[in-house]
Amino acid sequence: MGCCCNKNIKSSSELMNLDNTYGAHNYHPLEVVISKAEGVWVWDPEGKKYMDCLSAYSAVNQGHRNPKIIKALKDQADILTLTSRAFYNDKWPVFAEKLAKYTGKEMILPMNTGAEAVETAIKVMRRWGYEKKGVPADQAEIIVMEENFHGRTTTIVSFSTDPVAKNNYGPYTPGFKVVKYNDLKAVEEAITSNTVGILLEPIQGEAGVFVPHEGYLKGIREICDKNNVLFACDEVQTGFCRTGKKFAFMHEGIVPDVIIMGKALGGGVFPVSAVAANKDVMGVFTPGSHGSTFGGNPLGCVVASAALDVLIDEKLDEKSEELGKYFRQKLVEMNSPKVAEVRGRGLLNAVVLKKEAGKARIYTTAMKERGVLAKETHEWIIRFAPPLVVTKEELDWALEIITDVLK
Ligand SMILES: *Cc1c(COP(=O)(O)O)cnc(C)c1O
């Protein structure tokens, strides 16, 4: 352990002990403590430097402490932070217009976390079903996918297929039909006259960066149109240039009815989430029917607004597309006997290990020792998602370590 001249600075092992003692054990972190960050780099209390190849599950697409976003945060903190929606404020309306234009939708509903945005989408689809489609009371059905990840609320875990996330949280919320992902026939067969919506991730992130076959999203769009059903895309992890386009659904040239956003919308500094839809859908919300005390707060709005500016000004969509291709190509070229598959889009990528290679944690720990922070998802998949501001040189530095560890 390095020198800790300042007595107030706790060592990594002291901090991990405190975490284990006083913090609930609902996570199993890699054994590294982060106490400082800038761009793609993070440091532990002993001063060791690492490259962040997780980006807080894609919440830090714009890089740690992006100067434009931090400036917006600091400036606004000196002016106005929270009003609640009981009053108008001068930042939410401007941000609403900006996000509406960014998404191409007519209306925005602001929340804080991704799970809250998903809950909002569920509510809007159900209301639309009863009020616009004419589904009988309490009969609305939403089709969701196996291996989905949409958050942690009791309703959302009700339709999870991951026993670790779901077990012993019942009684579960009814009204969801789970079908196989990447299977259009399964969706068609699950549709009834009470189906109000289909909710899915355009790429399944937590499932291990599972990219559906080309034409899948287009097929879902067609099924929705044919059956008068809403299409809700959960872009919480895939949105905001992570996969090489503003949103992952754009790879197939389709437009969903409901866009669910979070994570990088807050630029890695503040929880900001939102749902975008056109008036015929979002219009079902009336005063008092939904809301959030912190949703649309001025501090979050200026942060999110700056977060969008960074994505646009720095062309992070093009960068993600280009560097992502390069990254996958290099991983494939390493030709490792331990790797079964390399997959992903833009800078959201995963290496799937062969059974005989052992647990992914062995490799993520070895990479951590050498200065690359990546996290396994399941026991045999390693996800790589560096901040989108990463340079080719920085990526090459990480690739050398990754290749070394996986060879
Ligand atoms: C992370 C995530 C969520 C949940 O977001 P929280 O902010 O953790 O509530 C929802 N959907 C997807 C696809 C995610 O990756």
Side-chain angles (χ1 to χ4, degrees), residues 27 57 112-116 118 149-152 156 201 203 205-206 234-238 260 262-263 271 273 383:
Y27 279 92
Y57 302 96
N112 312 285
T113 65
E116 287 176 325
V118 171
F149 184 84
H150 296 289
R152 304 293 197 169
I156 292 171
E201 302 152 83
I203 293 172
E206 294 311 298
D234 183 343
E235 290 271 1
V236 172
Q237 186 162 160
T238 49
I260 304 165
K263 293 202 168 110
S273 70
R383 171 174 30 195

Side-chain angles (χ1 to χ4, degrees), residues 174-200:
F176 299 95
K177 266 195 182 167
V178 186
V179 304
K180 206 159 173 272
Y181 189 61
N182 202 19
D183 183 343
L184 290 171
K185 202 158 156 261
V187 173
E188 254 173 335
E189 284 169 0
I191 288 202
T192 73
S193 57
N194 291 336
T195 307
V196 297
I198 297 172
L199 167 65
L200 58 78

Side-chain angles (χ1 to χ4, degrees), residues 35 44 55 65 146 215 219 266 288 296 350 374:
S35 57
D44 69 14
S55 305
R65 290 174 47 245
E146 284 176 8

